[in-house]
Amino acid sequence: MHSSLVLKVVIPATPYEAKGLLIASIRDNDPVVFLEHMKLYRSFRGEVPEEEYTIELGKADVKREGKDVTIVSYGAMVHAALKAAEDLEKDGVSAEVIDLRTVSPIDYDTIMESVKKTNRVVVVQEAQRQAGVAANVIAEIQERAILHLEAPVLRVTAPDTVYAFSDAEEVWLPNHKDIVEKVNTVINF
């Protein structure tokens, strides 16, 4: 009998998740690519228990509950999405933020449950528009939940240019203001 392996790709957004997902990755029978964003090393702190624990691979996390729009992201962009959600709340917009945690496989059940609740979606990735997983997430949402959408699914990405280094990086990378702008577009559609 032939058993097929699944390549899993893990991208944690917090120190807590990094430990739990790394232990789960080591124990997994499938090959796992574990990607940590260097920006998270110097930008975010979080409590990490000393005891051993795992976080299920392939299971997204709803970082913030909301009712007006779903923001789907992963890795360092989760923090930008959460900051955008805080800004949007000041204007009366309730944003649900989903952290994919793994981009292969993607937890489409969690995404679809949120889409059916909010009816609007913005997908955020740091990668260029033509790269990353945003296009696939959007395609799956369109195929599985088109009748629940009240606006087009929009995405926030880096531009389709070469990655900018040094000081230009902050201008090139998407940020919470870019997310707020796209959310306002889908809210006002």
Side-chain angles (χ1 to χ4, degrees):
M1 175 174 256
H2 182 283
S3 119
S4 63
L5 295 176
V6 175
L7 177 63
K8 296 178 179 172
V9 180
V10 177
I11 306 176
T14 67
Y16 178 85
E17 289 173 347
K19 179 178 177 179
L21 291 167
L22 182 59
I23 293 170
S25 297
I26 292 167
R27 293 181 178 167
D28 201 275
N29 290 328
D30 290 323
V32 179
V33 176
F34 192 90
L35 303 172
E36 287 183 296
H37 197 295
M38 286 180 51
K39 187 174 188 176
L40 294 178
Y41 292 157
R42 62 185 187 272
S43 302
F44 305 102
R45 299 220 181 273
E47 293 297 316
V48 179
E50 286 193 33
E51 66 271 4
E52 192 173 291
Y53 61 93
T54 60
I55 296 174
E56 181 182 353
L57 301 183
K59 182 69 178 146
D61 183 37
V62 178
K63 294 284 190 216
R64 179 186 173 110
E65 296 280 338
K67 61 180 178 45
D68 298 323
V69 63
T70 300
I71 303 172
V72 179
S73 192
Y74 57 93
M77 287 292 106
V78 169
H79 299 280
L82 289 167
K83 172 78 170 106
E86 288 175 19
D87 289 355
L88 289 159
E89 187 174 48
K90 295 172 189 170
D91 294 328
V93 176
S94 174
E96 183 149 298
V97 177
I98 296 176
D99 174 4
L100 293 178
R101 289 181 171 167
T102 60
V103 297
S104 178
I106 293 175
D107 179 5
Y108 288 112
D109 291 339
T110 297
I111 295 169
M112 295 315 147
E113 185 177 312
S114 181
V115 170
K116 291 174 182 176
K117 177 172 64 170
T118 67
N119 308 112
R120 291 175 171 82
V121 186
V122 173
V123 182
V124 181
Q125 69 181 21
E126 183 175 320
Q128 294 93 335
R129 185 176 175 88
Q130 68 183 9
V133 299
N136 194 50
V137 170
I138 292 168
E140 290 290 333
I141 292 169
Q142 299 285 66
E143 289 178 15
R144 298 179 188 205
I146 188 90
L147 297 178
H148 294 279
L149 295 173
E150 294 180 15
V153 180
L154 299 182
R155 60 186 153 172
V156 176
T157 70
D160 284 330
T161 62
V162 175
Y163 184 84
F165 291 98
S166 72
D167 294 337
E169 177 184 46
E170 291 305 316
V171 175
W172 187 84
L173 289 172
N175 61 48
H176 73 281
K177 292 177 186 175
D178 300 324
I179 299 168
V180 167
E181 182 181 324
K182 291 289 184 177
V183 166
N184 284 328
T185 300
V186 298
I187 291 293
N188 297 313
F189 185 81

